Amino acid sequence: FPVGEGIATLTIARFCDIIIISCLFLSLVVVIKDLPAMISNTFSAVAALLALIIIFLALLAYKGQRIVSLASWTAVKLKIENLRLIRFLLRKASETVDALVIIQSKRVLFLCLLLSACIWTFVYLSGYVIINQMGMSISFGQALIGMTFVLIIGILPIWSLAGFGAVEGAWAAAFMLLGISKEVAISTGFGYHILILVYSIILGILG
């Protein structure tokens, strides 16, 4: 399986995921009125970050060849175009951009967004059920806001081994801002993460 196609597939998936999660996050922040001041105050910064990520991925999908050409031109100007690593990166970038052409089809883009929306709807609903079963006293809207912070961390390339640390940290920070005690936020974060890992491992074995 070519590396370029694999990167392109992951990019398309992340592109659709970020669009769906961003739309949901922005809608929740606008609709829910009882959010803590700190979350409301950071709304603009988070919205700007999500918008920049979407713009970057859109440029990569629709103007990717120009970006690769600019990178090649820069490498020539810096006289590093003959380095093995640079040649490898430019070659894989070109393969990725060629594979990304598929997302320019409106039908493909619509189906990808629809599938992403269905997946994230299930993730949110199952997450809320888990939160309730763990005894966390929080409204449905606030639970979605908290989980969105965790999911945003999850789709960014800052992951650790099996996600340990990143998930718990984002979970605890988000739900502590929503008024949950530190102890409950940390313990439920570990519980949620372990359940998701077990579920993923079981599916992987069955697959």
Side-chain angles (χ1 to χ4, degrees):
F1 193 81
V3 175
E5 291 185 13
I7 296 174
T9 301
L10 180 60
T11 301
I12 293 172
R14 289 311 187 211
F15 177 70
C16 294
D17 290 344
I18 291 175
I19 289 178
I20 296 300
I21 292 177
S22 298
C23 291
L24 180 58
F25 174 76
L26 299 179
S27 300
L28 288 172
V29 172
V30 171
V31 171
I32 300 175
K33 303 301 182 181
D34 57 341
L35 290 176
M38 186 172 293
I39 291 183
S40 299
N41 293 336
T42 58
F43 167 73
S44 298
V46 174
L49 174 62
L50 292 173
L52 287 175
I53 294 174
I54 291 174
I55 291 172
F56 171 75
L57 293 175
L59 287 174
L60 191 63
Y62 290 91
K63 301 294 182 181
Q65 204 57 57
R66 291 188 181 182
I67 295 175
V68 174
S69 298
L70 178 60
S72 300
W73 178 83
T74 303
V76 171
K77 289 297 181 180
L78 295 175
K79 298 181 179 180
I80 59 174
E81 74 278 10
N82 292 322
L83 294 178
R84 181 178 297 179
L85 176 62
I86 299 301
R87 292 203 308 269
F88 174 79
L89 291 176
L90 289 175
R91 184 170 66 252
K92 295 307 174 184
S94 181
E95 292 175 2
T96 300
V97 167
D98 290 341
L100 280 173
V101 171
I102 189 174
I103 202 176
Q104 296 182 17
S105 166
K106 293 181 179 180
R107 180 176 180 274
V108 171
L109 180 58
F110 171 76
L111 291 176
C112 287
L113 288 173
L114 179 61
L115 180 59
S116 181
C118 293
I119 291 172
W120 289 113
T121 297
F122 173 77
V123 169
Y124 275 108
L125 291 176
S126 59
Y128 182 64
V129 171
I130 293 173
I131 287 175
N132 268 340
Q133 292 302 310
M134 289 190 295
M136 186 182 292
S137 179
I138 196 170
S139 69
F140 181 68
Q142 289 179 325
L144 295 187
I145 287 287
M147 285 188 291
T148 299
F149 276 100
V150 179
L151 295 176
I152 290 174
I153 295 296
I155 61 178
L156 294 178
I158 54 176
W159 216 230
S160 57
L161 179 63
F164 281 108
V167 170
E168 289 78 10
W171 182 283
F175 285 101
M176 284 170 63
L177 288 175
L178 290 168
I180 302 300
S181 67
K182 179 180 178 180
E183 292 75 16
V184 173
I186 293 176
S187 61
T188 54
F190 274 104
Y192 175 82
H193 191 190
I194 291 172
L195 285 174
I196 296 301
L197 282 179
V198 171
Y199 177 73
S200 301
I201 292 172
I202 292 174
L203 285 183
I205 293 174
L206 293 176

